[in-house]
Amino acid sequence: MRIATPPMGWNSWNTFGENISDQLIVETARAMRDKGYLAAGYRYIVIDDCWSLRERGADGRIVPDPAKFPRGMKALADDLHAMGFLFGMYSCAGVQTCAGYPSSFDYEWIDAQTFADWGVDFLKYDFCNFPESADGRNRYAAMSMALKATGRDILFSACNWGTDEPWRWMKALGAHMYRSTGDIQDNFISFTDIARSQLDNLCMSGADCFNDMDMLTIGMYGKGNVALGKPCTDQDYATQFALWCLCGVPLMLGGDVRNMKPFAEELVRNPRLIRINQDPETRPPMVVHRGRVIDHIPDENGCTWHEHPDCGLTLLRHLSGNEFAVGWFNFAPAQAGVPFLFADCGLPAGSGFGLRMTDAFTGEDMGLFRDWCHQDVPGHGCKVALARLEKL
Ligand code: GLA
């Protein structure tokens, strides 16, 4: 199955954890349809862990918890399909899911068929409680094969948290995306650590099999199931979304889309940032500068880069249609100048060309630049531009 651009959707885990139900999923789908998320590209609605009874049925099949999903999964899937969504579910390669529910180890073929019978279009496949004596790669290969055997197109979303460098082998065994890190938490250090840890692996991410940097926490503001440390601010969320878009990785919303603050709603529906994420060439970004800043203002403690020693990051991503996306990131708490010297991405001063830039957040023209374009970026913030070559 061709997955040409990073999958976009919503997943229940970050906000709701075990507090999931048919009603929540239907309300979420309605909100996503009515508030323009579906039109923006968010098509997969994924139920994460905790959807089943604690024991399999007499026929060996996993049984949806009737208190949470009284209609069963097929009726829910039908509703989601009728609204134009694709339906995602969750299982795990180990003997129990992370939250202790039945899992697919030695049940791969039964469970894949069960999911297909229910009309599932996407399977997130976790890695908890995996027997030490078993071979992880082989079990991901088994579920990939079992899904194929159903004859239904089911996106295989492998989630082994980066164990054994999945960017080297998940694509070969048929996965369409693979989690590359541990779980995201709703704080600045967590999501920037995730993104920065994957910059050098993104060369192996692209059409058909994407590096999955985990579900977004945008709009959670410290509520929900992955709150830890200092909750993200609006500024932090803008940086999170910009990183996920420039890295070209799946955009799975993790907030409560029924009640998102307007800022968060507009951010994740921003058409220019989504266009960067969904660019059909699916190239990785080029790291133009890492850890370089021009200047900074110390924070109230006189402390400057205590959160990360290397604070600046400049990315340039080649897009289709002779366009580029540029991102300037400041991982430090205080404002800093983040450089972009065009020569460092192949555009020397003597070329006779400059870059015409548009602010990707606002759509405003930033002007025509030659040789360089530094940005003063607030602490934890970023700037993102769409750029085109222009003759000087
Ligand atoms: C693991 C995964 C998370 C989530 C939980 C559910 O931690 O990495 O994304 O699916 O399990 O228990």
Side-chain angles (χ1 to χ4, degrees):
M1 176 175 47
R2 183 108 248 250
I3 300 294
T5 58
M8 294 172 66
W10 176 88
N11 174 300
S12 59
W13 183 253
N14 282 0
T15 294
F16 298 99
E18 64 178 355
N19 301 315
I20 48 177
S21 66
D22 184 289
Q23 187 187 343
L24 170 74
I25 302 303
V26 170
E27 284 177 14
T28 296
R30 289 198 183 123
M32 288 179 69
R33 179 194 60 192
D34 298 344
K35 294 173 185 241
Y37 294 92
L38 177 60
Y42 297 95
R43 296 177 70 203
Y44 289 94
I45 295 192
V46 182
I47 301 175
D48 208 284
D49 205 349
C50 310
W51 56 267
S52 76
L53 288 179
R54 295 272 176 186
E55 301 295 335
R56 288 177 181 267
D59 57 359
R61 293 192 168 216
I62 308 190
V63 184
D65 183 341
K68 294 175 177 172
F69 296 97
R71 298 188 289 161
M73 293 304 183
K74 176 82 174 71
L76 176 55
D78 289 347
D79 276 6
L80 296 180
H81 290 148
M83 282 191 256
F85 291 101
L86 294 165
F87 178 42
M89 288 201 67
Y90 165 99
S91 189
C92 175
V95 293
Q96 283 195 330
T97 71
C98 300
Y101 290 83
S103 181
S104 299
F105 188 87
D106 271 351
Y107 288 89
E108 287 91 349
W109 297 78
I110 294 182
D111 290 351
Q113 191 57 53
T114 303
F115 293 133
D117 293 345
W118 290 342
V120 167
D121 308 293
F122 177 116
L123 179 67
K124 173 173 170 182
Y125 205 50
D126 217 337
F127 198 49
C128 276
N129 303 306
F130 191 79
E132 253 175 51
S133 56
D135 176 341
R137 291 191 197 199
N138 186 257
R139 290 301 171 139
Y140 276 91
M143 184 47 97
S144 176
M145 210 47 109
L147 291 172
K148 291 270 163 73
T150 69
R152 187 176 171 83
D153 278 346
I154 300 178
L155 189 157
F156 187 32
S157 167
C159 175
N160 82 340
W161 323 307
T163 310
D164 216 4
E165 304 188 326
W167 41 89
R168 296 189 183 277
W169 49 274
M170 277 294 189
K171 186 171 187 174
L173 53 81
H176 301 101
M177 55 197 259
Y178 52 84
R179 272 276 300 281
S180 47
T181 71
D183 290 10
I184 198 168
Q185 308 288 346
D186 185 29
N187 68 65
F188 183 81
I189 292 177
S190 168
F191 79 76
T192 51
D193 277 355
I194 287 176
R196 281 145 43 111
S197 76
Q198 292 311 305
L199 286 173
D200 295 328
N201 293 334
L202 292 171
C203 56
M204 287 177 269
S205 172
D208 299 320
C209 192
F210 293 90
N211 185 320
D212 173 7
M213 302 199 314
D214 208 351
M215 291 91 68
L216 299 158
T217 64
I218 294 167
M220 294 181 62
Y221 300 100
K223 296 213 177 76
N225 196 38
V226 294
L228 191 77
K230 188 166 172 270
C232 287
T233 62
D234 286 350
Q235 178 94 271
D236 296 347
Y237 287 140
T239 298
Q240 185 180 119
F241 199 60
L243 282 167
W244 266 233
C245 287
L246 270 152
C247 290
V249 295
L251 298 179
M252 300 301 290
L253 303 172
D256 182 354
V257 289
R258 299 170 307 172
N259 302 300
M260 292 257 274
K261 259 178 63 178
F263 173 85
E265 231 173 67
E266 276 161 37
L267 175 64
V268 300
R269 291 185 320 217
N270 180 302
R272 289 167 297 278
L273 289 164
I274 291 177
R275 183 153 68 77
I276 293 169
N277 176 270
Q278 293 288 301
D279 187 75
E281 288 190 11
T282 67
R283 290 181 193 279
M286 177 192 290
V287 176
V288 188
H289 308 293
R290 196 182 330 217
R292 276 201 216 167
V293 288
I294 309 300
D295 55 30
H296 61 261
I297 304 163
D299 67 16
E300 62 275 19
N301 303 318
C303 187
T304 51
W305 318 127
H306 57 275
E307 289 188 61
H308 289 284
D310 50 338
C311 40
L313 174 70
T314 310
L315 299 175
L316 176 128
R317 185 166 186 222
H318 282 249
L319 305 177
S320 53
N322 291 326
E323 208 176 5
F324 307 92
V326 184
W328 297 259
F329 295 90
N330 174 13
F331 298 124
Q335 179 174 315
V338 183
F340 175 24
L341 308 178
F342 295 176
D344 290 327
C345 70
L347 191 60
S351 67
F353 284 85
L355 286 172
R356 164 78 56 187
M357 306 234 198
T358 305
D359 186 318
F361 283 100
T362 64
E364 282 160 24
D365 182 24
M366 294 164 65
L368 174 64
F369 297 86
R370 58 187 300 159
D371 305 348
W372 57 270
C373 177
H374 298 167
Q375 293 292 329
D376 281 323
V377 182
H380 288 187
C382 68
K383 269 260 173 190
V384 179
L386 283 158
R388 284 190 176 280
L389 290 163
E390 194 170 303
K391 201 146 184 47
L392 295 168

